[in-house]
mmCIF file of all heavy atoms in Angstrom:
data_model
loop_
_atom_site.group_PDB
_atom_site.id
_atom_site.type_symbol
_atom_site.label_atom_id
_atom_site.label_comp_id
_atom_site.label_asym_id
_atom_site.label_seq_id
_atom_site.Cartn_x
_atom_site.Cartn_y
_atom_site.Cartn_z
ATOM 1 N N LEU A 4 9.144 2.411 1.797
ATOM 2 C CA LEU A 4 9.606 3.055 3.016
ATOM 3 C C LEU A 4 8.474 3.505 3.928
ATOM 4 O O LEU A 4 8.750 3.988 5.031
ATOM 5 C CB LEU A 4 10.484 4.269 2.646
ATOM 6 C CG LEU A 4 11.734 3.954 1.781
ATOM 7 C CD1 LEU A 4 12.417 5.247 1.356
ATOM 8 C CD2 LEU A 4 12.706 3.056 2.543
ATOM 9 N N LEU A 5 7.227 3.359 3.491
ATOM 10 C CA LEU A 5 6.125 3.807 4.314
ATOM 11 C C LEU A 5 5.908 2.868 5.489
ATOM 12 O O LEU A 5 5.901 1.651 5.352
ATOM 13 C CB LEU A 5 4.831 3.837 3.462
ATOM 14 C CG LEU A 5 4.773 4.878 2.326
ATOM 15 C CD1 LEU A 5 3.454 4.736 1.606
ATOM 16 C CD2 LEU A 5 4.965 6.292 2.851
ATOM 17 N N ALA A 6 5.726 3.456 6.664
ATOM 18 C CA ALA A 6 5.368 2.671 7.863
ATOM 19 C C ALA A 6 3.899 2.301 7.789
ATOM 20 O O ALA A 6 3.128 2.910 7.065
ATOM 21 C CB ALA A 6 5.654 3.479 9.124
ATOM 22 N N ASP A 7 3.502 1.303 8.577
ATOM 23 C CA ASP A 7 2.084 0.910 8.618
ATOM 24 C C ASP A 7 1.180 2.075 9.009
ATOM 25 O O ASP A 7 0.039 2.152 8.554
ATOM 26 C CB ASP A 7 1.891 -0.264 9.586
ATOM 27 C CG ASP A 7 2.468 -1.561 9.064
ATOM 28 O OD1 ASP A 7 2.735 -1.639 7.861
ATOM 29 O OD2 ASP A 7 2.686 -2.471 9.874
ATOM 30 N N SER A 8 1.711 2.976 9.853
ATOM 31 C CA SER A 8 0.931 4.131 10.301
ATOM 32 C C SER A 8 0.766 5.174 9.218
ATOM 33 O O SER A 8 0.013 6.138 9.410
ATOM 34 C CB SER A 8 1.591 4.756 11.544
ATOM 35 O OG SER A 8 2.899 5.247 11.197
ATOM 36 N N GLN A 9 1.457 5.031 8.093
ATOM 37 C CA GLN A 9 1.421 6.019 7.015
ATOM 38 C C GLN A 9 0.583 5.543 5.832
ATOM 39 O O GLN A 9 0.634 6.124 4.761
ATOM 40 C CB GLN A 9 2.842 6.345 6.565
ATOM 41 C CG GLN A 9 3.665 7.048 7.645
ATOM 42 C CD GLN A 9 5.063 7.312 7.210
ATOM 43 O OE1 GLN A 9 5.779 6.426 6.691
ATOM 44 N NE2 GLN A 9 5.527 8.535 7.350
ATOM 45 N N LYS A 10 -0.182 4.467 6.027
ATOM 46 C CA LYS A 10 -1.066 3.981 4.986
ATOM 47 C C LYS A 10 -2.266 3.299 5.648
ATOM 48 O O LYS A 10 -2.169 2.849 6.778
ATOM 49 C CB LYS A 10 -0.349 2.998 4.046
ATOM 50 C CG LYS A 10 0.240 1.790 4.746
ATOM 51 C CD LYS A 10 1.090 0.965 3.785
ATOM 52 C CE LYS A 10 1.705 -0.244 4.480
ATOM 53 N NZ LYS A 10 2.594 -1.003 3.600
ATOM 54 N N ARG A 11 -3.394 3.270 4.939
ATOM 55 C CA ARG A 11 -4.619 2.647 5.454
ATOM 56 C C ARG A 11 -5.168 1.704 4.409
ATOM 57 O O ARG A 11 -5.444 2.101 3.280
ATOM 58 C CB ARG A 11 -5.651 3.752 5.784
ATOM 59 C CG ARG A 11 -6.933 3.220 6.401
ATOM 60 C CD ARG A 11 -7.924 4.329 6.702
ATOM 61 N NE ARG A 11 -8.630 4.831 5.524
ATOM 62 C CZ ARG A 11 -8.410 6.003 4.971
ATOM 63 N NH1 ARG A 11 -7.490 6.837 5.465
ATOM 64 N NH2 ARG A 11 -9.093 6.391 3.920
ATOM 65 N N GLN A 12 -5.362 0.440 4.805
ATOM 66 C CA GLN A 12 -5.864 -0.533 3.861
ATOM 67 C C GLN A 12 -7.394 -0.379 3.706
ATOM 68 O O GLN A 12 -8.082 -0.173 4.681
ATOM 69 C CB GLN A 12 -5.528 -1.956 4.300
ATOM 70 C CG GLN A 12 -5.934 -2.995 3.248
ATOM 71 C CD GLN A 12 -5.334 -4.373 3.505
ATOM 72 O OE1 GLN A 12 -4.475 -4.523 4.390
ATOM 73 N NE2 GLN A 12 -5.770 -5.361 2.768
ATOM 74 N N VAL A 13 -7.835 -0.465 2.472
ATOM 75 C CA VAL A 13 -9.261 -0.410 2.148
ATOM 76 C C VAL A 13 -9.633 -1.747 1.501
ATOM 77 O O VAL A 13 -9.140 -2.074 0.441
ATOM 78 C CB VAL A 13 -9.574 0.746 1.219
ATOM 79 C CG1 VAL A 13 -11.071 0.750 0.834
ATOM 80 C CG2 VAL A 13 -9.176 2.089 1.846
ATOM 81 N N GLY A 14 -10.492 -2.507 2.184
ATOM 82 C CA GLY A 14 -10.881 -3.799 1.615
ATOM 83 C C GLY A 14 -9.908 -4.906 2.042
ATOM 84 O O GLY A 14 -9.063 -4.729 2.925
ATOM 85 N N GLY A 15 -10.054 -6.068 1.398
ATOM 86 C CA GLY A 15 -9.254 -7.226 1.726
ATOM 87 C C GLY A 15 -8.010 -7.358 0.916
ATOM 88 O O GLY A 15 -7.517 -6.392 0.330
ATOM 89 N N GLY A 16 -7.469 -8.586 0.901
ATOM 90 C CA GLY A 16 -6.256 -8.846 0.174
ATOM 91 C C GLY A 16 -5.028 -8.815 1.054
ATOM 92 O O GLY A 16 -5.055 -8.218 2.144
ATOM 93 N N ALA A 17 -3.957 -9.443 0.584
ATOM 94 C CA ALA A 17 -2.709 -9.449 1.307
ATOM 95 C C ALA A 17 -1.575 -9.300 0.319
ATOM 96 O O ALA A 17 -1.566 -9.969 -0.735
ATOM 97 C CB ALA A 17 -2.553 -10.736 2.116
ATOM 98 N N ALA A 18 -0.609 -8.470 0.652
ATOM 99 C CA ALA A 18 0.495 -8.171 -0.263
ATOM 100 C C ALA A 18 1.413 -9.370 -0.397
ATOM 101 O O ALA A 18 1.743 -10.049 0.583
ATOM 102 C CB ALA A 18 1.289 -6.958 0.226
ATOM 103 N N GLN A 19 1.857 -9.661 -1.630
ATOM 104 C CA GLN A 19 2.873 -10.663 -1.853
ATOM 105 C C GLN A 19 4.239 -9.995 -1.816
ATOM 106 O O GLN A 19 4.480 -8.988 -2.482
ATOM 107 C CB GLN A 19 2.673 -11.318 -3.235
ATOM 108 C CG GLN A 19 1.443 -12.191 -3.347
ATOM 109 C CD GLN A 19 1.372 -12.925 -4.690
ATOM 110 O OE1 GLN A 19 2.321 -12.906 -5.484
ATOM 111 N NE2 GLN A 19 0.257 -13.585 -4.933
ATOM 112 N N ALA A 20 5.124 -10.546 -1.031
ATOM 113 C CA ALA A 20 6.480 -9.983 -0.907
ATOM 114 C C ALA A 20 7.213 -10.066 -2.234
ATOM 115 O O ALA A 20 7.113 -11.064 -2.971
ATOM 116 C CB ALA A 20 7.239 -10.729 0.179
ATOM 117 N N GLY A 21 7.965 -9.006 -2.567
ATOM 118 C CA GLY A 21 8.793 -8.998 -3.755
ATOM 119 C C GLY A 21 8.024 -8.886 -5.051
ATOM 120 O O GLY A 21 8.575 -9.146 -6.106
ATOM 121 N N ALA A 22 6.732 -8.497 -4.978
ATOM 122 C CA ALA A 22 5.888 -8.375 -6.190
ATOM 123 C C ALA A 22 5.775 -6.907 -6.585
ATOM 124 O O ALA A 22 6.023 -6.003 -5.778
ATOM 125 C CB ALA A 22 4.508 -8.964 -5.920
ATOM 126 N N PRO A 23 5.409 -6.627 -7.828
ATOM 127 C CA PRO A 23 5.226 -5.256 -8.262
ATOM 128 C C PRO A 23 4.174 -4.517 -7.449
ATOM 129 O O PRO A 23 3.218 -5.128 -6.942
ATOM 130 C CB PRO A 23 4.780 -5.392 -9.722
ATOM 131 C CG PRO A 23 5.307 -6.700 -10.161
ATOM 132 C CD PRO A 23 5.223 -7.588 -8.941
ATOM 133 N N LEU A 24 4.360 -3.217 -7.316
ATOM 134 C CA LEU A 24 3.426 -2.315 -6.637
ATOM 135 C C LEU A 24 2.859 -1.356 -7.630
ATOM 136 O O LEU A 24 3.566 -0.881 -8.548
ATOM 137 C CB LEU A 24 4.116 -1.544 -5.522
ATOM 138 C CG LEU A 24 4.979 -2.319 -4.517
ATOM 139 C CD1 LEU A 24 5.622 -1.339 -3.518
ATOM 140 C CD2 LEU A 24 4.146 -3.335 -3.778
ATOM 141 N N GLY A 25 1.586 -1.007 -7.515
ATOM 142 C CA GLY A 25 0.967 -0.015 -8.373
ATOM 143 C C GLY A 25 0.637 1.248 -7.588
ATOM 144 O O GLY A 25 0.444 1.201 -6.363
ATOM 145 N N LEU A 26 0.606 2.381 -8.246
ATOM 146 C CA LEU A 26 0.360 3.675 -7.619
ATOM 147 C C LEU A 26 -0.566 4.503 -8.494
ATOM 148 O O LEU A 26 -0.323 4.625 -9.699
ATOM 149 C CB LEU A 26 1.689 4.409 -7.382
ATOM 150 C CG LEU A 26 1.609 5.843 -6.899
ATOM 151 C CD1 LEU A 26 1.011 5.913 -5.488
ATOM 152 C CD2 LEU A 26 2.984 6.484 -6.904
ATOM 153 N N ILE A 27 -1.578 5.097 -7.882
ATOM 154 C CA ILE A 27 -2.482 5.989 -8.583
ATOM 155 C C ILE A 27 -2.922 7.099 -7.628
ATOM 156 O O ILE A 27 -3.012 6.860 -6.403
ATOM 157 C CB ILE A 27 -3.698 5.219 -9.142
ATOM 158 C CG1 ILE A 27 -4.533 6.078 -10.105
ATOM 159 C CG2 ILE A 27 -4.561 4.645 -8.015
ATOM 160 C CD1 ILE A 27 -5.548 5.294 -10.893
ATOM 161 N N GLY A 28 -3.135 8.268 -8.134
ATOM 162 C CA GLY A 28 -3.542 9.353 -7.231
ATOM 163 C C GLY A 28 -4.145 10.528 -7.975
ATOM 164 O O GLY A 28 -3.626 10.958 -9.006
ATOM 165 N N ALA A 29 -5.279 10.990 -7.462
ATOM 166 C CA ALA A 29 -6.005 12.098 -8.096
ATOM 167 C C ALA A 29 -5.777 13.388 -7.302
ATOM 168 O O ALA A 29 -5.873 13.397 -6.072
ATOM 169 C CB ALA A 29 -7.489 11.780 -8.157
ATOM 170 N N GLY A 30 -5.513 14.470 -8.013
ATOM 171 C CA GLY A 30 -5.349 15.786 -7.429
ATOM 172 C C GLY A 30 -5.707 16.791 -8.489
ATOM 173 O O GLY A 30 -6.763 16.731 -9.091
#
């Protein structure tokens, strides 16, 4: 649900549609 303005890409690569997503976060 995130808009492009709500995330910033770091480095290269291109997302494959319909593929798994990973999430990690430090706090």
